[in-house]
Amino acid sequence: MSLPLGTMVRIAVRSLRQHFLSTTVTVISAALAAGLVMAVFSVARQSSQAFQGGALGFDAVLGARGSATQLVLNSVFHLQTSPGNLPYKTYQEIKNDPRVAEAYPYAVGDNYRGFRIVGTVPELFTEHRVDGKPVFELPGHGQWFDPSRRQAVIGSVVAAETGLKRGSDFHPTHSLDEHSDHVHDEDYVVTGVLKATNSPADRVIWIPIEGMYRMAGHLLRGNGEEYHAEAGEAIPDENKEVSAVMLRLKSPDSGFLLQTKYNKEGKQATLAWPIAAEVQGLFQRLSWVSKVLVLVAYLVVVVAAGSLLASLYNTMNERRREFAILRSLGARRKTLLGVIVLESTLISLAGALLGYAICFGILSIAAGLIRGETGVVLDVFAYHPAMLWTPIGMLVVGAFAGLVPALKAYSTDVSRELSQSAA
Amino acid sequence: MTLLSLRDVTKSYPVPGGGRQEVLRVAQFDLGEREQVALAGTSGSGKTTFLNIIAGILKPDGGQVLLGGRDLVGLTEAQRDVLRAENLGYVFQTFHLLGAYSALENVVLGMAFGPGPDPQLARVLLERLGLGNRLHHRPHQLSVGQQQRVALARALANRPKLVLADEPTGNLDPESGLEALGLIRAMCAESGAALLLVSHDPKVLATFERCQDFAELNQARGEVPA
């Protein structure tokens, strides 16, 4: 008579409880493996999607001649240094190009406690929309900055990490180095905190571009000669510069034509278009990191399976008497085999379930780090197919890992074990 | 009516050098239903091998072992396992209780391989054996005599046709041994099971109407060529 599954489960659970310490260690090891695999796949996919959506509806970015990747990193992700500046007239030219729907200038060069200060125009906030919805929103009583005053609106991450809020004031630090000793005398007042966009923009302090031009110590070289803005005097457009121009194009054809104009025929500017393709290319170049992480995760699974096998195998010698007794009571060999495979499967099951907690723990930590570093927000509980196939895979791996000790139990010599333990 | 019948049963094991060590050669042995028989044998005489063959744990090299009309020699191992679970109870000298299970669980687990777990019957059996207040004690929390009674309850729990007892009093003091023996015999008689008991204790053997010298029964030839 075959033993009912319920009885087999009870025998297996009793045995696991009897070896509580090794069971616990093995479950934790399996949980780490499952959690790591699920977290790695989830972070990889979500960060890729989030970064590719980080362009906030812009199709292209125009910047100084150089690497398109550096241009995207600098102007979209607010990372790395600026590849250089463009004359203001280049901004005006592309803004008036009939193929361009929207164009907003960025001027960078300062930071506050490591958060980049970007000079721009208020139209970026009031006119830029994606699918008819404004990209930037000011909750509460916040107001956009007045382009003629020393005012700023700040991203949600900046607010959370610096404590700045509406009405707060701050002094920008010169350069992109947060440890720079050169703190500007200019005092800026926060007029609003932007609603989170879940993009790198949440890590930015936005000020009027005019303010960037007029910051003490900032030199403009729009026409090739150094110019220092004086208070009360208008700055001639020919002296102004921009670090980048964010663009929304009227059609994909416009991208091809502008790309030809700036990248092939021109020599002073670089057009990074389409931004999504640049980001994807960047991710592809960094894909080895993801592959290494996946490989490490799989190695942890192998180690966990080995640990499971060794843990069960090591108990086999002390359990041979138990197996012999069960056999003498009528248990079949395959029943013992089933009990051991069930034990390893139960360990894997417990590990897989605990793995979800580990996965969400890793994702919470990763989400915090990524949000802090890039402004991109990961959804800790976002579904990824790995969250389904990893536990199933763990059960299969666990069952196979249990086969070796199970075969040892299967081959128990009842007569010898009973007579030896009687001696 | 005959319950157990052995004919020309032999068992040998390979030994270094290519030969074989014959440990059992029984020309004929019969046991009737509800009969109680004792076998007198010293340690190493092959009596445990004899019991293990009857229990279907070991398969003989040749001969015939009929239990309730079925020849164990022709059965597969899995079939012998089923036959053992449903028809046999086995009481060992060292009881062989499972340390991780309580007295009640030890008995119920034994039932799981036979007709199925029946905690109520297991409880009644243990209470009959004076262990009503020890149901949930683990073996190490029981005296040797109590462990012996748990083992007896487990052997009887599946209502076997035959109970095999291998030196069941060997670990008990003489007084407790005789008391346990009386209990085993009474419970077997009550449940209608036949009893085949192996012992080297003359006091135990003297209580049986039929007692056979195992040395006479077993005509094993020792080392034989392959």
Side-chain angles (χ1 to χ4, degrees):
Chain A
M1 176 181 221
S2 292
L3 205 57
L5 183 62
T7 307
M8 287 175 71
V9 170
R10 274 196 289 278
I11 295 174
V13 169
R14 179 62 61 95
S15 167
L16 293 177
R17 276 171 52 189
Q18 206 179 351
H19 303 95
F20 181 76
L21 185 62
S22 66
T23 300
T24 306
V25 170
T26 316
V27 165
I28 290 172
S29 138
L32 282 173
L36 198 58
V37 169
M38 293 189 281
V40 163
F41 277 98
S42 184
V43 168
R45 180 199 259 187
Q46 281 199 69
S47 54
S48 172
Q49 286 174 342
F51 277 94
Q52 285 179 44
L56 297 175
F58 291 114
D59 302 313
V61 53
L62 185 71
R65 194 71 170 175
S67 154
T69 303
Q70 190 186 358
L71 184 59
V72 167
L73 281 174
N74 186 255
S75 55
V76 175
F77 297 108
H78 304 287
L79 299 168
Q80 291 204 348
T81 54
S82 165
N85 290 336
L86 288 172
Y88 194 74
K89 68 174 183 186
T90 308
Y91 157 62
Q92 289 175 311
E93 185 183 288
I94 199 162
K95 187 186 176 194
N96 296 323
D97 192 300
R99 293 164 292 197
V100 173
E102 294 175 38
Y104 306 102
Y106 279 3
V108 299
D110 288 335
N111 80 93
Y112 174 69
R113 289 173 57 179
F115 293 100
R116 193 164 292 201
I117 296 173
V118 176
T120 189
V121 292
E123 290 77 13
L124 171 71
F125 307 108
T126 56
E127 294 179 10
H128 180 49
R129 289 169 182 271
V130 173
D131 298 330
K133 293 178 185 170
V135 174
F136 296 101
E137 293 179 75
L138 271 182
H141 297 94
Q143 291 181 327
W144 304 117
F145 58 65
D146 180 338
S148 63
R149 302 183 70 175
R150 289 178 186 153
Q151 294 182 339
V153 289
I154 61 175
S156 57
V157 173
V158 179
E161 296 198 11
T162 63
L164 288 177
K165 54 182 187 290
R166 194 167 67 87
S168 303
D169 60 342
F170 66 94
H171 292 272
T173 300
H174 188 65
S175 85
L176 301 178
D177 176 12
E178 71 170 297
H179 302 297
S180 167
D181 294 332
H182 185 170
V183 177
H184 290 293
D185 291 334
E186 286 83 355
D187 190 21
Y188 275 79
V189 176
V190 177
T191 58
V193 177
L194 292 166
K195 186 179 171 185
T197 58
N198 294 341
S199 76
D202 294 343
R203 293 179 51 80
V204 172
I205 296 171
W206 307 91
I207 66 168
I209 196 165
E210 188 83 6
M212 193 61 88
Y213 294 153
R214 292 184 179 279
M215 204 82 74
H218 283 192
L219 289 173
L220 301 175
R221 299 183 186 84
N223 61 0
E225 291 175 10
E226 291 188 352
Y227 174 85
H228 188 273
E230 295 294 336
E233 283 182 19
I235 305 169
D237 284 352
E238 65 180 47
N239 294 108
K240 292 178 183 172
E241 295 178 286
V242 297
S243 304
V245 185
M246 305 306 296
L247 301 168
R248 195 166 69 78
L249 307 178
K250 287 184 176 167
S251 72
D253 289 345
S254 308
F256 281 112
L257 295 169
L258 288 170
Q259 199 176 39
T260 304
K261 177 182 174 182
Y262 286 100
N263 295 352
K264 293 182 181 169
E265 295 169 359
K267 291 182 179 173
Q268 289 188 324
T270 292
L271 183 82
W273 175 85
I275 292 176
E278 286 294 336
V279 177
Q280 198 170 17
L282 182 66
F283 263 87
Q284 275 171 355
R285 283 200 290 281
L286 293 174
S287 65
W288 65 271
V289 176
S290 175
K291 284 175 185 163
V292 167
L293 283 175
V294 169
L295 185 65
V296 168
Y298 283 143
L299 280 176
V300 175
V301 171
V302 171
V303 170
S307 152
L308 176 55
L309 189 155
S311 163
L312 282 176
Y313 195 84
N314 287 340
T315 64
M316 288 301 111
N317 276 344
E318 64 182 83
R319 292 178 63 187
R320 276 195 292 203
R321 174 179 169 272
E322 173 192 338
F323 298 143
I325 294 170
L326 292 173
R327 293 272 291 116
S328 76
L329 294 173
R332 295 189 198 176
R333 284 183 191 276
K334 68 177 186 184
T335 302
L336 299 186
L337 187 129
V339 166
I340 304 303
V341 170
L342 197 57
E343 282 181 26
S344 64
T345 308
L346 286 174
I347 287 175
S348 302
L349 178 66
L353 293 177
L354 189 60
Y356 281 111
I358 302 270
C359 169
F360 296 139
I362 293 173
L363 284 174
S364 297
I365 294 169
L369 289 174
I370 290 173
R371 178 167 165 75
E373 291 298 317
T374 66
V376 166
V377 175
L378 302 187
D379 180 0
V380 173
F381 298 104
Y383 170 75
H384 186 284
M387 290 174 179
L388 188 64
W389 57 251
T390 301
I392 294 172
M394 286 299 293
L395 292 187
V396 173
V397 168
F400 272 102
L403 271 179
V404 174
L407 287 171
K408 193 169 183 183
Y410 183 89
S411 61
T412 300
D413 184 331
V414 184
S415 179
R416 190 171 64 185
E417 290 304 324
L418 291 180
S419 58
Q420 277 181 355
S421 54
Chain B
M1 202 170 165
T2 304
L3 171 70
L4 175 70
S5 173
L6 284 81
R7 294 288 182 274
D8 302 321
V9 172
T10 59
K11 182 68 183 174
S12 63
Y13 295 99
V15 291
R20 294 186 73 83
Q21 179 77 26
E22 190 177 81
V23 295
L24 192 72
R25 178 172 286 273
V26 174
Q28 181 178 352
F29 179 80
D30 295 298
L31 181 72
E33 286 180 351
R34 307 174 76 96
E35 192 179 5
Q36 298 192 347
V37 174
L39 293 177
T42 54
S43 179
S45 61
K47 56 190 188 327
T48 299
T49 301
F50 181 65
L51 291 185
N52 282 343
I53 284 175
I54 294 170
I57 292 172
L58 289 176
K59 189 170 185 175
D61 298 337
Q64 190 181 52
V65 181
L66 290 174
L67 180 66
R70 293 184 73 185
D71 188 0
L72 270 62
V73 180
L75 299 180
T76 63
E77 186 181 63
Q79 288 170 323
R80 296 201 305 273
D81 291 338
V82 174
L83 194 77
R84 177 166 65 253
E86 292 180 348
N87 296 283
L88 282 163
Y90 210 143
V91 182
F92 302 93
Q93 180 178 352
T94 49
F95 322 132
H96 287 319
L97 299 177
L98 293 167
Y101 295 77
S102 69
L104 183 64
E105 288 169 335
N106 261 283
V107 179
V108 173
L109 184 62
M111 297 165 118
F113 301 106
D118 184 347
Q120 190 53 37
L121 175 63
R123 192 182 292 267
V124 168
L125 268 173
L126 287 167
E127 284 169 354
R128 282 288 321 278
L129 289 163
L131 294 171
N133 57 350
R134 293 285 187 274
L135 296 177
H136 303 292
H137 286 57
R138 299 260 179 104
H140 72 271
Q141 296 169 312
L142 300 172
S143 70
V144 176
Q146 289 169 332
Q147 289 179 40
Q148 159 69 281
R149 280 180 273 164
V150 175
L152 177 59
R154 184 177 66 184
L156 292 169
N158 289 346
R159 302 179 198 280
K161 291 177 182 160
L162 171 62
V163 172
L164 302 173
D166 188 359
E167 299 279 7
T169 60
N171 273 6
L172 304 175
D173 61 68
E175 193 180 336
S176 304
L178 286 177
E179 188 187 334
L181 177 67
L183 205 52
I184 292 170
R185 295 194 66 175
M187 292 291 284
C188 286
E190 190 180 310
S191 66
L195 173 66
L196 179 58
L197 180 142
V198 168
S199 177
H200 66 275
D201 184 345
K203 286 181 183 169
V204 169
L205 297 170
T207 65
F208 281 82
E209 294 76 29
R210 181 184 161 193
C211 177
Q212 253 181 292
D213 185 353
F214 190 70
E216 286 178 12
L217 187 67
N218 184 12
Q219 297 299 310
R221 294 174 293 168
E223 194 163 342
V224 293

